[in-house]
Amino acid sequence: YGVTLPGWKKNKLTYRIVNYTPDMSKEDVDKAIQKALKVWSTVTPLIFTRIREGVADIMIAFGTKAHGHCPRYFDGPLGVLAHAFPPGNGFGGDAHFDEDEDWTTGSAGFNLFLVAAHEFGHALGLSHSNDQRALMFPNYAYVSPSEFPLSPDDINGIQSIYGSRPNAPDKRPATPTSPKTCDSQISFDAITTLRREIIFLKGRHLWRVYPGNSEVELELISAFWPTLPPGIQAAYENTKDQILFFKGNKFWVISGYRVLLGYPKNINTLGFPKGVKKIDAAVCNKDTGKTDFFIGDKYWRYDENSQSMETGYPRRTVNDFPGISQKVDAVFQQKGFFYFFHGSKQWEFDPTVKKVIREIKSSSWFNC
Amino acid sequence: SNALPIHPEKHNNEEDEKLVQDYLNQFYTVEPDPKQLGWKTHDESTAEKLQKMQQFFGLKVTGKPDPATLEMMKKPRCGVPDVGL
Protein backbone atom coordinates (compact mmCIF):
# COMPACT_ATOMS: atom_id res chain seq x y z
CA TYR A 1 0.00 0.00 0.00
CA GLY A 2 1.06 3.67 -0.25
CA VAL A 3 -0.03 6.68 1.76
CA THR A 4 -0.11 10.43 1.15
CA LEU A 5 0.54 12.01 4.52
CA PRO A 6 -0.88 13.63 6.56
CA GLY A 7 -4.35 12.08 6.78
CA TRP A 8 -7.31 13.98 8.18
CA LYS A 9 -6.63 15.38 11.66
CA LYS A 10 -10.12 14.47 12.81
CA ASN A 11 -12.20 11.27 12.84
CA LYS A 12 -15.58 12.88 12.19
CA LEU A 13 -15.78 13.73 8.48
CA THR A 14 -18.62 15.16 6.42
CA TYR A 15 -19.58 14.30 2.85
CA ARG A 16 -21.94 15.90 0.34
CA ILE A 17 -23.29 14.50 -2.93
CA VAL A 18 -23.25 17.58 -5.14
CA ASN A 19 -24.99 16.08 -8.21
CA TYR A 20 -26.17 12.78 -9.66
CA THR A 21 -25.64 10.53 -12.68
CA PRO A 22 -28.71 9.85 -14.81
CA ASP A 23 -27.52 6.22 -15.10
CA MET A 24 -28.84 5.31 -11.62
CA SER A 25 -31.72 6.32 -9.38
CA LYS A 26 -30.78 8.94 -6.76
CA GLU A 27 -31.55 6.37 -4.11
CA ASP A 28 -29.09 3.88 -5.63
CA VAL A 29 -26.39 6.57 -5.85
CA ASP A 30 -26.96 7.54 -2.19
CA LYS A 31 -26.76 3.88 -1.16
CA ALA A 32 -23.61 3.21 -3.18
CA ILE A 33 -21.83 6.25 -1.67
CA GLN A 34 -22.92 5.43 1.88
CA LYS A 35 -21.84 1.81 1.50
CA ALA A 36 -18.50 2.86 -0.02
CA LEU A 37 -17.74 5.08 2.98
CA LYS A 38 -18.83 2.34 5.37
CA VAL A 39 -16.12 0.07 3.88
CA TRP A 40 -13.54 2.36 5.50
CA SER A 41 -15.44 3.24 8.71
CA THR A 42 -15.74 -0.49 9.43
CA VAL A 43 -11.99 -0.80 9.94
CA THR A 44 -11.06 2.65 11.34
CA PRO A 45 -12.37 5.14 13.98
CA LEU A 46 -13.68 7.32 11.13
CA ILE A 47 -17.33 8.46 11.17
CA PHE A 48 -18.98 9.91 8.04
CA THR A 49 -21.93 12.29 8.26
CA ARG A 50 -23.85 13.52 5.24
CA ILE A 51 -24.60 17.22 4.74
CA ARG A 52 -26.77 18.62 1.96
CA GLU A 53 -25.54 22.22 1.87
CA GLY A 54 -22.24 24.06 2.01
CA VAL A 55 -18.71 22.63 1.88
CA ALA A 56 -18.12 19.13 3.17
CA ASP A 57 -14.75 17.47 3.74
CA ILE A 58 -15.54 15.05 0.91
CA MET A 59 -17.42 16.68 -1.98
CA ILE A 60 -18.75 14.08 -4.45
CA ALA A 61 -19.65 15.09 -8.01
CA PHE A 62 -20.14 13.71 -11.53
CA GLY A 63 -18.57 15.61 -14.44
CA THR A 64 -17.17 15.15 -17.95
CA LYS A 65 -13.88 16.21 -19.68
CA ALA A 66 -12.77 19.50 -18.07
CA HIS A 67 -15.14 20.02 -15.13
CA GLY A 68 -15.31 23.15 -13.01
CA HIS A 69 -11.94 24.31 -11.61
CA CYS A 70 -10.69 20.76 -11.18
CA PRO A 71 -7.01 20.57 -12.24
CA ARG A 72 -7.60 17.14 -13.77
CA TYR A 73 -9.89 16.25 -16.68
CA PHE A 74 -11.84 13.23 -17.84
CA ASP A 75 -11.44 11.50 -21.18
CA GLY A 76 -14.87 10.28 -22.30
CA PRO A 77 -16.00 6.63 -22.05
CA LEU A 78 -13.51 4.08 -20.59
CA GLY A 79 -9.94 5.11 -19.82
CA VAL A 80 -10.09 7.20 -16.63
CA LEU A 81 -13.22 6.44 -14.61
CA ALA A 82 -12.83 8.77 -11.61
CA HIS A 83 -10.26 10.59 -9.49
CA ALA A 84 -9.96 12.00 -5.98
CA PHE A 85 -7.66 14.26 -3.97
CA PRO A 86 -5.78 13.55 -0.73
CA PRO A 87 -7.02 15.07 2.57
CA GLY A 88 -6.82 18.88 2.73
CA ASN A 89 -8.69 22.08 2.04
CA GLY A 90 -10.14 23.13 -1.31
CA PHE A 91 -10.20 20.09 -3.57
CA GLY A 92 -8.65 18.07 -0.72
CA GLY A 93 -10.77 14.98 -0.03
CA ASP A 94 -13.03 15.54 -3.04
CA ALA A 95 -14.01 12.69 -5.42
CA HIS A 96 -15.10 13.19 -9.03
CA PHE A 97 -16.73 10.55 -11.28
CA ASP A 98 -16.65 10.58 -15.09
CA GLU A 99 -20.25 10.97 -16.23
CA ASP A 100 -19.31 9.56 -19.63
CA GLU A 101 -19.06 6.11 -18.02
CA ASP A 102 -21.97 3.72 -17.57
CA TRP A 103 -22.52 3.68 -13.78
CA THR A 104 -24.39 0.69 -12.36
CA THR A 105 -25.14 -1.27 -9.22
CA GLY A 106 -24.08 -4.59 -10.81
CA SER A 107 -21.36 -6.11 -12.94
CA ALA A 108 -22.32 -4.40 -16.19
CA GLY A 109 -20.63 -1.07 -16.93
CA PHE A 110 -18.75 0.21 -13.87
CA ASN A 111 -19.99 -0.50 -10.37
CA LEU A 112 -20.31 2.88 -8.62
CA PHE A 113 -19.93 1.39 -5.15
CA LEU A 114 -16.58 -0.24 -6.02
CA VAL A 115 -15.16 2.81 -7.82
CA ALA A 116 -16.35 5.14 -5.03
CA ALA A 117 -14.80 2.93 -2.34
CA HIS A 118 -11.48 3.13 -4.22
CA GLU A 119 -11.68 6.95 -4.63
CA PHE A 120 -12.60 7.42 -0.97
CA GLY A 121 -9.38 5.51 -0.16
CA HIS A 122 -7.55 8.41 -1.85
CA ALA A 123 -9.78 10.98 -0.12
CA LEU A 124 -8.65 9.48 3.20
CA GLY A 125 -4.94 9.50 2.35
CA LEU A 126 -4.13 6.26 0.53
CA SER A 127 -2.28 6.24 -2.78
CA HIS A 128 -2.26 3.31 -5.25
CA SER A 129 -1.14 -0.17 -4.27
CA ASN A 130 0.61 -2.54 -6.66
CA ASP A 131 -1.10 -5.51 -4.98
CA GLN A 132 -3.53 -6.72 -7.69
CA ARG A 133 -5.90 -8.00 -5.02
CA ALA A 134 -6.13 -4.62 -3.29
CA LEU A 135 -9.07 -2.25 -3.72
CA MET A 136 -6.39 0.47 -4.11
CA PHE A 137 -4.95 -1.21 -7.20
CA PRO A 138 -5.32 1.40 -9.99
CA ASN A 139 -7.19 -0.75 -12.55
CA TYR A 140 -10.91 -1.45 -12.28
CA ALA A 141 -11.80 -5.02 -11.36
CA TYR A 142 -15.36 -6.10 -10.64
CA VAL A 143 -15.84 -7.94 -7.34
CA SER A 144 -19.25 -9.07 -6.26
CA PRO A 145 -20.48 -6.22 -4.00
CA SER A 146 -21.74 -8.81 -1.56
CA GLU A 147 -18.15 -9.52 -0.66
CA PHE A 148 -16.10 -7.23 1.57
CA PRO A 149 -13.83 -5.49 -0.95
CA LEU A 150 -10.89 -4.53 1.31
CA SER A 151 -7.83 -6.78 1.11
CA PRO A 152 -5.42 -7.10 4.04
CA ASP A 153 -3.16 -4.67 2.15
CA ASP A 154 -5.90 -1.99 2.12
CA ILE A 155 -6.67 -2.50 5.82
CA ASN A 156 -3.01 -2.27 6.81
CA GLY A 157 -2.71 0.93 4.77
CA ILE A 158 -5.71 2.79 6.20
CA GLN A 159 -4.97 1.63 9.74
CA SER A 160 -1.40 2.90 9.40
CA ILE A 161 -2.98 6.39 9.13
CA TYR A 162 -6.01 6.23 11.50
CA GLY A 163 -5.54 3.09 13.61
CA SER A 164 -8.17 0.42 13.93
CA ARG A 165 -11.71 0.90 15.15
CA PRO A 166 -11.55 1.46 18.97
CA ASN A 167 -13.06 -1.19 21.31
CA ALA A 168 -14.60 -3.04 18.42
CA PRO A 169 -14.44 -6.76 19.03
CA ASP A 170 -12.97 -8.08 15.89
CA LYS A 171 -16.32 -8.39 14.17
CA ARG A 172 -14.70 -7.32 10.94
CA PRO A 173 -16.44 -8.95 8.06
CA ALA A 174 -14.24 -11.72 6.78
CA THR A 175 -11.88 -10.17 4.28
CA PRO A 176 -11.56 -12.13 1.09
CA THR A 177 -8.55 -14.37 1.57
CA SER A 178 -6.53 -15.89 -1.19
CA PRO A 179 -6.56 -19.69 -1.42
CA LYS A 180 -3.30 -21.30 -0.29
CA THR A 181 -1.45 -22.51 -3.35
CA CYS A 182 0.27 -25.40 -1.60
CA ASP A 183 -2.71 -26.63 0.38
CA SER A 184 -2.38 -30.44 0.12
CA GLN A 185 -6.18 -30.75 0.06
CA ILE A 186 -6.66 -28.20 -2.71
CA SER A 187 -9.39 -28.83 -5.27
CA PHE A 188 -10.42 -26.85 -8.35
CA ASP A 189 -13.66 -25.58 -9.89
CA ALA A 190 -12.34 -25.73 -13.45
CA ILE A 191 -9.09 -26.04 -15.41
CA THR A 192 -8.24 -25.07 -18.98
CA THR A 193 -5.20 -24.62 -21.15
CA LEU A 194 -4.53 -21.18 -22.57
CA ARG A 195 -2.01 -21.60 -25.40
CA ARG A 196 1.07 -22.85 -23.55
CA GLU A 197 -0.26 -22.06 -20.07
CA ILE A 198 -2.58 -24.04 -17.81
CA ILE A 199 -5.20 -22.01 -15.90
CA PHE A 200 -6.61 -23.43 -12.65
CA LEU A 201 -9.80 -21.70 -11.41
CA LYS A 202 -11.24 -21.62 -7.90
CA GLY A 203 -13.76 -19.12 -6.50
CA ARG A 204 -12.58 -15.60 -7.40
CA HIS A 205 -9.04 -16.66 -8.18
CA LEU A 206 -7.03 -18.38 -10.86
CA TRP A 207 -3.51 -19.80 -10.97
CA ARG A 208 -1.42 -19.56 -14.15
CA VAL A 209 1.08 -22.35 -14.56
CA TYR A 210 3.84 -22.39 -17.18
CA PRO A 211 4.73 -26.10 -17.50
CA GLY A 212 8.43 -26.49 -17.58
CA ASN A 213 9.25 -23.70 -15.20
CA SER A 214 8.47 -23.18 -11.56
CA GLU A 215 6.41 -20.04 -12.07
CA VAL A 216 2.90 -20.24 -10.57
CA GLU A 217 0.98 -16.95 -10.46
CA LEU A 218 -2.13 -16.40 -8.33
CA GLU A 219 -4.47 -13.73 -9.79
CA LEU A 220 -8.05 -12.53 -9.52
CA ILE A 221 -10.21 -13.81 -12.38
CA SER A 222 -11.69 -10.33 -12.68
CA ALA A 223 -8.23 -8.82 -13.18
CA PHE A 224 -8.22 -10.51 -16.61
CA TRP A 225 -11.88 -10.81 -17.41
CA PRO A 226 -13.82 -8.24 -15.35
CA THR A 227 -17.21 -9.42 -16.62
CA LEU A 228 -16.70 -13.07 -15.72
CA PRO A 229 -18.38 -14.08 -12.45
CA PRO A 230 -16.52 -15.91 -9.66
CA GLY A 231 -17.22 -19.61 -9.21
CA ILE A 232 -16.69 -20.74 -12.83
CA GLN A 233 -17.68 -24.44 -13.02
CA ALA A 234 -16.08 -25.60 -16.28
CA ALA A 235 -13.70 -24.25 -18.92
CA TYR A 236 -11.91 -25.47 -22.03
CA GLU A 237 -9.76 -24.18 -24.89
CA ASN A 238 -11.22 -25.00 -28.30
CA THR A 239 -9.49 -25.38 -31.66
CA LYS A 240 -9.92 -21.70 -32.56
CA ASP A 241 -7.65 -20.20 -29.86
CA GLN A 242 -10.71 -19.38 -27.75
CA ILE A 243 -11.68 -20.37 -24.21
CA LEU A 244 -15.22 -21.18 -23.15
CA PHE A 245 -16.20 -20.62 -19.49
CA PHE A 246 -19.33 -22.20 -17.97
CA LYS A 247 -21.36 -21.32 -14.89
CA GLY A 248 -24.88 -22.68 -14.36
CA ASN A 249 -26.69 -22.73 -17.69
CA LYS A 250 -24.61 -19.88 -19.14
CA PHE A 251 -21.30 -19.77 -21.00
CA TRP A 252 -18.90 -17.09 -22.19
CA VAL A 253 -16.40 -17.21 -25.07
CA ILE A 254 -13.09 -15.43 -24.55
CA SER A 255 -10.63 -14.58 -27.28
CA GLY A 256 -7.32 -13.40 -25.85
CA TYR A 257 -8.43 -10.99 -23.09
CA ARG A 258 -11.78 -10.05 -24.63
CA VAL A 259 -15.16 -11.54 -23.89
CA LEU A 260 -16.84 -11.87 -27.30
CA LEU A 261 -19.96 -9.80 -27.77
CA GLY A 262 -23.29 -11.52 -27.41
CA TYR A 263 -22.21 -13.61 -24.39
CA PRO A 264 -23.15 -15.10 -21.99
CA LYS A 265 -25.37 -17.47 -23.96
CA ASN A 266 -27.49 -20.37 -22.74
CA ILE A 267 -25.82 -23.78 -22.93
CA ASN A 268 -28.77 -25.15 -24.86
CA THR A 269 -27.43 -23.21 -27.86
CA LEU A 270 -24.66 -25.84 -27.88
CA GLY A 271 -27.24 -28.59 -28.19
CA PHE A 272 -27.81 -29.62 -24.59
CA PRO A 273 -31.40 -30.59 -23.74
CA LYS A 274 -33.34 -28.24 -21.46
CA GLY A 275 -32.91 -30.61 -18.53
CA VAL A 276 -29.16 -29.95 -18.35
CA LYS A 277 -28.64 -27.13 -15.85
CA LYS A 278 -24.85 -27.00 -15.49
CA ILE A 279 -21.58 -28.44 -16.75
CA ASP A 280 -19.12 -30.10 -14.33
CA ALA A 281 -16.09 -30.13 -16.63
CA ALA A 282 -15.11 -29.99 -20.30
CA VAL A 283 -12.08 -30.74 -22.42
CA CYS A 284 -11.39 -30.44 -26.15
CA ASN A 285 -9.27 -33.25 -27.59
CA LYS A 286 -6.90 -31.31 -29.86
CA ASP A 287 -6.15 -34.47 -31.83
CA THR A 288 -9.78 -35.23 -32.77
CA GLY A 289 -11.40 -31.77 -32.57
CA LYS A 290 -14.08 -33.27 -30.33
CA THR A 291 -15.06 -31.78 -26.96
CA ASP A 292 -16.31 -33.91 -24.08
CA PHE A 293 -18.67 -32.33 -21.54
CA PHE A 294 -18.87 -34.17 -18.20
CA ILE A 295 -22.07 -33.92 -16.17
CA GLY A 296 -22.62 -36.21 -13.17
CA ASP A 297 -21.67 -39.75 -14.24
CA LYS A 298 -22.30 -39.09 -17.95
CA TYR A 299 -20.67 -37.14 -20.78
CA TRP A 300 -21.73 -35.52 -24.05
CA ARG A 301 -19.50 -35.21 -27.12
CA TYR A 302 -19.50 -32.05 -29.26
CA ASP A 303 -17.89 -31.78 -32.73
CA GLU A 304 -16.04 -28.45 -32.94
CA ASN A 305 -15.85 -28.64 -36.73
CA SER A 306 -19.55 -29.18 -37.40
CA GLN A 307 -20.42 -27.11 -34.27
CA SER A 308 -22.96 -29.73 -33.22
CA MET A 309 -23.52 -32.34 -30.52
CA GLU A 310 -22.87 -35.90 -31.68
CA THR A 311 -25.74 -38.39 -31.63
CA GLY A 312 -25.78 -41.32 -29.24
CA TYR A 313 -24.96 -39.20 -26.17
CA PRO A 314 -24.96 -38.91 -23.21
CA ARG A 315 -22.96 -42.06 -22.42
CA ARG A 316 -21.72 -43.28 -19.04
CA THR A 317 -18.26 -41.79 -18.43
CA VAL A 318 -16.80 -44.89 -16.82
CA ASN A 319 -17.68 -47.03 -19.90
CA ASP A 320 -15.46 -44.95 -22.21
CA PHE A 321 -12.99 -43.68 -19.61
CA PRO A 322 -12.30 -46.78 -17.48
CA GLY A 323 -11.17 -45.77 -14.01
CA ILE A 324 -12.87 -42.38 -14.08
CA SER A 325 -15.80 -43.30 -11.90
CA GLN A 326 -16.22 -40.20 -9.74
CA LYS A 327 -17.88 -36.87 -10.65
CA VAL A 328 -15.36 -34.88 -12.69
CA ASP A 329 -14.59 -31.47 -11.09
CA ALA A 330 -12.20 -30.43 -13.86
CA VAL A 331 -10.29 -31.89 -16.78
CA PHE A 332 -7.69 -30.71 -19.28
CA GLN A 333 -5.43 -32.20 -21.95
CA GLN A 334 -1.63 -31.90 -21.85
CA LYS A 335 0.72 -33.62 -24.31
CA GLY A 336 -2.06 -36.00 -25.36
CA PHE A 337 -2.94 -37.12 -21.84
CA PHE A 338 -6.20 -36.15 -20.09
CA TYR A 339 -6.00 -35.11 -16.45
CA PHE A 340 -9.26 -35.72 -14.57
CA PHE A 341 -9.70 -33.98 -11.18
CA HIS A 342 -11.99 -34.86 -8.30
CA GLY A 343 -11.38 -33.13 -4.94
CA SER A 344 -7.71 -33.36 -3.97
CA LYS A 345 -6.96 -36.18 -6.47
CA GLN A 346 -6.29 -36.32 -10.18
CA TRP A 347 -5.94 -39.22 -12.66
CA GLU A 348 -3.66 -39.19 -15.70
CA PHE A 349 -5.59 -40.93 -18.52
CA ASP A 350 -4.21 -42.11 -21.87
CA PRO A 351 -7.09 -41.80 -24.40
CA THR A 352 -5.30 -43.93 -26.98
CA VAL A 353 -5.21 -47.03 -24.80
CA LYS A 354 -8.23 -45.90 -22.70
CA LYS A 355 -6.42 -46.51 -19.40
CA VAL A 356 -5.61 -44.59 -16.20
CA ILE A 357 -1.84 -44.36 -16.05
CA ARG A 358 -1.54 -43.08 -12.47
CA GLU A 359 -3.27 -41.26 -9.61
CA ILE A 360 -1.66 -37.97 -8.43
CA LYS A 361 -2.42 -35.18 -5.93
CA SER A 362 -4.37 -32.30 -7.48
CA SER A 363 -1.70 -29.83 -6.34
CA SER A 364 1.06 -31.60 -8.31
CA TRP A 365 1.19 -28.84 -10.99
CA PHE A 366 2.12 -26.16 -8.44
CA ASN A 367 5.67 -27.36 -7.70
CA CYS A 368 4.91 -27.38 -3.95
CA SER B 1 -6.74 11.73 -54.98
CA ASN B 2 -3.30 10.24 -55.22
CA ALA B 3 -2.59 10.34 -51.49
CA LEU B 4 -0.82 7.23 -50.28
CA PRO B 5 -3.00 5.19 -47.97
CA ILE B 6 -1.79 5.22 -44.33
CA HIS B 7 -0.13 1.91 -43.67
CA PRO B 8 -2.30 0.31 -40.96
CA GLU B 9 0.69 -0.92 -38.98
CA LYS B 10 2.30 2.54 -39.03
CA HIS B 11 -1.04 4.01 -38.02
CA ASN B 12 -1.21 1.58 -35.10
CA ASN B 13 2.29 2.49 -33.99
CA GLU B 14 1.38 6.17 -33.88
CA GLU B 15 -1.73 5.35 -31.85
CA ASP B 16 0.31 3.21 -29.48
CA GLU B 17 2.94 5.91 -29.14
CA LYS B 18 0.29 8.49 -28.22
CA LEU B 19 -1.29 6.05 -25.76
CA VAL B 20 2.09 5.50 -24.08
CA GLN B 21 2.92 9.21 -23.88
CA ASP B 22 -0.53 10.18 -22.56
CA TYR B 23 -0.47 7.35 -20.00
CA LEU B 24 3.01 8.12 -18.70
CA ASN B 25 2.36 11.88 -18.61
CA GLN B 26 -0.84 11.34 -16.66
CA PHE B 27 0.15 8.60 -14.22
CA TYR B 28 3.96 8.41 -14.10
CA THR B 29 5.13 12.05 -14.20
CA VAL B 30 6.02 13.47 -10.81
CA GLU B 31 4.51 16.94 -10.58
CA PRO B 32 7.32 19.46 -9.77
CA ASP B 33 7.09 20.79 -6.19
CA PRO B 34 7.15 24.63 -6.45
CA LYS B 35 8.50 24.81 -2.92
CA GLN B 36 11.48 22.54 -3.72
CA LEU B 37 14.80 24.22 -3.02
CA GLY B 38 18.20 23.34 -4.51
CA TRP B 39 18.90 20.92 -7.38
CA LYS B 40 15.91 19.52 -9.17
CA THR B 41 15.97 15.87 -10.15
CA HIS B 42 16.40 15.29 -13.90
CA ASP B 43 13.33 14.68 -16.03
CA GLU B 44 12.86 10.94 -16.44
CA SER B 45 13.04 9.51 -19.94
CA THR B 46 10.10 7.65 -21.45
CA ALA B 47 11.98 4.36 -21.01
CA GLU B 48 12.57 5.09 -17.31
CA LYS B 49 8.89 5.90 -16.76
CA LEU B 50 7.89 2.79 -18.70
CA GLN B 51 10.14 0.67 -16.52
CA LYS B 52 8.56 2.18 -13.42
CA MET B 53 5.07 1.44 -14.76
CA GLN B 54 5.99 -2.10 -15.75
CA GLN B 55 7.50 -2.69 -12.31
CA PHE B 56 4.38 -1.35 -10.59
CA PHE B 57 2.07 -3.66 -12.57
CA GLY B 58 4.29 -6.70 -12.25
CA LEU B 59 4.99 -6.82 -16.00
CA LYS B 60 8.34 -7.74 -17.54
CA VAL B 61 10.50 -4.67 -17.07
CA THR B 62 11.66 -3.98 -20.62
CA GLY B 63 11.37 -0.21 -20.84
CA LYS B 64 9.63 -0.87 -24.16
CA PRO B 65 5.94 -0.63 -25.02
CA ASP B 66 5.49 -4.37 -25.56
CA PRO B 67 2.00 -5.85 -26.17
CA ALA B 68 1.41 -6.77 -22.51
CA THR B 69 2.28 -3.21 -21.45
CA LEU B 70 -0.01 -1.69 -24.07
CA GLU B 71 -2.79 -4.05 -23.04
CA MET B 72 -2.42 -2.93 -19.40
CA MET B 73 -2.53 0.73 -20.44
CA LYS B 74 -5.86 0.18 -22.14
CA LYS B 75 -7.62 -1.07 -19.01
CA PRO B 76 -10.18 1.24 -17.37
CA ARG B 77 -8.64 2.78 -14.26
CA CYS B 78 -8.51 5.53 -11.65
CA GLY B 79 -7.23 8.96 -12.73
CA VAL B 80 -4.95 9.47 -9.71
CA PRO B 81 -1.25 9.19 -10.65
CA ASP B 82 0.59 6.05 -9.50
CA VAL B 83 3.69 8.04 -8.46
CA GLY B 84 4.61 11.27 -6.86
CA LEU B 85 1.98 11.54 -4.19
Side-chain angles (χ1 to χ4, degrees):
Chain A
Y1 62 87
V3 292
T4 56
L5 292 175
W8 293 98
K9 293 294 173 221
K10 54 188 178 178
N11 285 343
K12 288 194 176 131
L13 298 171
T14 57
Y15 73 95
R16 177 183 165 199
I17 302 174
V18 175
N19 60 13
Y20 284 85
T21 170
D23 302 347
M24 296 165 60
S25 69
K26 284 192 175 178
E27 189 195 8
D28 279 346
V29 171
D30 290 348
K31 252 190 248 172
I33 298 299
Q34 189 182 27
K35 195 179 163 196
L37 289 164
K38 190 177 176 193
V39 160
W40 299 107
S41 60
T42 305
V43 294
T44 62
L46 295 173
I47 297 168
F48 297 101
T49 307
R50 182 177 184 179
I51 63 172
R52 295 179 187 270
E53 299 292 329
V55 178
D57 298 310
I58 300 174
M59 300 286 271
I60 298 155
F62 292 86
T64 60
K65 303 297 177 42
H67 46 282
H69 297 296
C70 178
R72 293 190 192 128
Y73 55 90
F74 288 133
D75 54 358
L78 301 177
V80 170
L81 305 179
H83 52 227
F85 297 87
N89 299 322
F91 280 109
D94 293 356
H96 301 163
F97 299 84
D98 186 348
E99 181 47 60
D100 281 330
E101 310 301 346
D102 176 24
W103 295 107
T104 70
T105 57
S107 61
F110 296 102
N111 185 283
L112 180 61
F113 156 64
L114 287 174
V115 176
H118 173 99
E119 298 308 328
F120 294 154
H122 290 311
L124 295 176
L126 287 179
S127 55
H128 283 149
S129 163
N130 61 6
D131 179 343
Q132 290 202 25
R133 287 155 292 186
L135 178 65
M136 293 314 292
F137 187 70
N139 291 356
Y140 176 81
Y142 176 74
V143 177
S144 163
S146 61
E147 292 183 34
F148 188 61
L150 291 189
S151 75
D153 180 69
D154 300 306
I155 294 171
N156 293 335
I158 201 73
Q159 290 184 345
S160 73
I161 303 174
Y162 300 103
S164 58
R165 209 159 100 172
N167 307 324
D170 198 7
K171 282 202 282 86
R172 257 177 327 174
T175 53
T177 52
S178 304
K180 300 276 177 299
T181 301
C182 284
D183 170 1
S184 64
Q185 292 307 305
I186 204 164
S187 61
F188 303 105
D189 298 336
I191 302 172
T192 178
T193 51
L194 168 58
R195 296 172 188 153
R196 278 178 289 130
E197 294 179 45
I198 306 171
I199 308 283
F200 295 78
L201 294 102
K202 185 180 182 72
R204 298 190 309 142
H205 290 89
L206 59 81
W207 288 268
R208 303 171 66 183
V209 171
Y210 304 88
N213 70 41
S214 60
E215 272 186 75
V216 178
E217 290 176 19
L218 175 67
E219 319 265 8
L220 275 174
I221 293 175
S222 54
F224 289 94
W225 304 300
T227 56
L228 277 191
I232 293 294
Q233 292 161 327
Y236 76 90
E237 182 178 18
N238 66 12
T239 52
K240 290 179 289 184
D241 196 24
Q242 293 168 336
I243 299 181
L244 285 78
F245 290 98
F246 296 80
K247 182 173 184 180
N249 63 359
K250 293 196 178 47
F251 74 100
W252 293 256
V253 178
I254 307 278
S255 177
Y257 289 103
R258 280 182 319 106
V259 176
L260 295 190
L261 290 177
Y263 289 90
K265 285 183 180 174
N266 193 295
I267 55 176
N268 59 29
T269 58
L270 293 169
F272 287 104
K274 281 240 179 304
V276 173
K277 297 296 178 200
K278 67 188 274 292
I279 312 283
D280 292 334
V283 62
C284 176
N285 186 332
K286 296 282 182 5
D287 304 325
T288 63
K290 307 281 175 77
T291 297
D292 291 341
F293 291 96
F294 297 91
I295 302 165
D297 63 352
K298 297 185 181 58
Y299 79 100
W300 268 263
R301 180 156 288 177
Y302 179 82
D303 185 325
E304 293 286 344
N305 296 321
S306 64
Q307 302 275 293
S308 62
M309 224 37 111
E310 292 203 341
T311 55
Y313 290 88
R315 297 168 54 84
R316 279 175 56 72
T317 306
V318 71
N319 290 350
D320 297 335
F321 298 87
I324 308 300
S325 53
Q326 307 213 49
K327 171 186 169 293
V328 181
D329 290 343
V331 58
F332 73 99
Q333 182 184 33
Q334 183 75 1
K335 294 189 177 125
F337 289 112
F338 283 178
Y339 293 86
F340 288 92
F341 288 73
H342 174 82
S344 62
K345 289 189 182 122
Q346 68 178 296
W347 291 270
E348 183 178 67
F349 184 87
D350 183 343
T352 52
V353 294
K354 287 188 179 294
K355 212 174 103 188
V356 170
I357 309 296
R358 55 181 174 140
E359 178 182 300
I360 320 161
K361 269 202 164 301
S362 294
S363 60
S364 70
W365 297 88
F366 290 169
N367 304 316
C368 296
Chain B
S1 70
N2 294 324
L4 284 176
I6 291 178
H7 189 281
E9 204 166 305
K10 187 169 174 313
H11 179 67
N12 264 348
N13 279 345
E14 283 166 8
E15 265 181 25
D16 290 345
E17 216 170 295
K18 183 173 182 321
L19 168 69
V20 167
Q21 283 309 321
D22 286 351
Y23 193 93
L24 295 179
N25 287 341
Q26 189 163 5
F27 304 119
Y28 283 86
T29 301
V30 179
E31 285 145 8
D33 179 355
K35 288 188 250 122
Q36 182 178 346
L37 299 176
W39 292 97
K40 288 193 181 351
T41 52
H42 77 282
D43 281 341
E44 285 179 314
S45 66
T46 297
E48 284 169 326
K49 291 179 188 172
L50 258 179
Q51 283 175 343
K52 198 174 277 186
M53 177 262 178
Q54 285 162 338
Q55 201 150 30
F56 184 91
F57 282 100
L59 300 167
K60 276 196 178 66
V61 181
T62 61
K64 292 186 177 61
D66 50 58
T69 301
L70 291 173
E71 199 59 33
M72 188 64 83
M73 288 183 169
K74 289 170 186 167
K75 288 178 183 278
R77 57 159 291 159
C78 168
V80 173
D82 297 336
V83 294
L85 291 177

